[in-house]
Amino acid sequence: MANFPIVSTGEHVTRQVLSESPELMVVAFRFDAEGAEGALHSHPHVQSTYVESGRYRFFLGDEVREVGPGDSFVIPSGMEHGCLCLEPGKLIDCFTPRRDDFL
C-alpha cells in the first residue's frame, strides 16, 4: 500500500491520491475555506465526484449545480468543470483511466 503526498492545488485546496491502478484512481480533495475554488478545466478522463462533507457550487458545462454531503455525479470525458466551495469539506473523486499527471 503506497502513501501519497498531500499536494496544494490552489489557495485553501489540497489533493491526495488515495489509491490507483492504470484503469482507476481515487483522489480526495480538501477545501479548507469558503470561497476556495476548483478552477475550470477539462480532461479526457471520466470522473465521478462524491461529496463527503461541505457544500459546493459546481459548474458542469452550461449547468450550475449546488451539492452537499452524500451527493454524487459523473462528469463525462472532455466536459469543462470546476467548483466554488460554499462550506469547507472534502470531495472524493474517481477517474478512469488513472490521472497520470497526479502521480
Side-chain angles (χ1 to χ4, degrees), residues 4-78:
F4 295 96
I6 296 172
V7 177
S8 175
T9 62
E11 191 171 354
H12 302 292
V13 183
T14 59
R15 78 166 181 251
Q16 183 177 28
V17 173
L18 301 179
S19 59
E20 59 83 24
S21 73
E23 301 83 15
L24 181 67
M25 175 178 271
V26 181
V27 181
F29 286 87
R30 181 175 298 280
F31 290 76
D32 291 331
E34 181 179 335
E37 293 184 85
L40 284 174
H41 66 286
S42 66
H43 44 72
H45 313 82
V46 175
Q47 173 181 334
S48 70
T49 295
Y50 171 76
V51 182
E52 180 178 298
S53 58
R55 294 204 60 80
Y56 306 86
R57 180 173 299 129
F58 267 84
F59 305 92
L60 303 163
D62 295 332
E63 180 185 354
V64 177
R65 183 185 306 180
E66 289 197 12
V67 296
D71 289 336
S72 64
F73 52 93
V74 172
I75 302 169
S77 173

Side-chain angles (χ1 to χ4, degrees), residues 67-101:
V67 296
D71 289 336
S72 64
F73 52 93
V74 172
I75 302 169
S77 173
M79 177 182 274
E80 186 174 56
H81 60 283
C83 70
L84 175 67
C85 177
L86 304 175
E87 293 176 14
K90 186 191 292 186
L91 301 173
I92 304 297
D93 288 353
C94 296
F95 300 93
T96 184
R98 169 180 64 202
R99 292 278 309 252
D100 290 337
D101 56 321

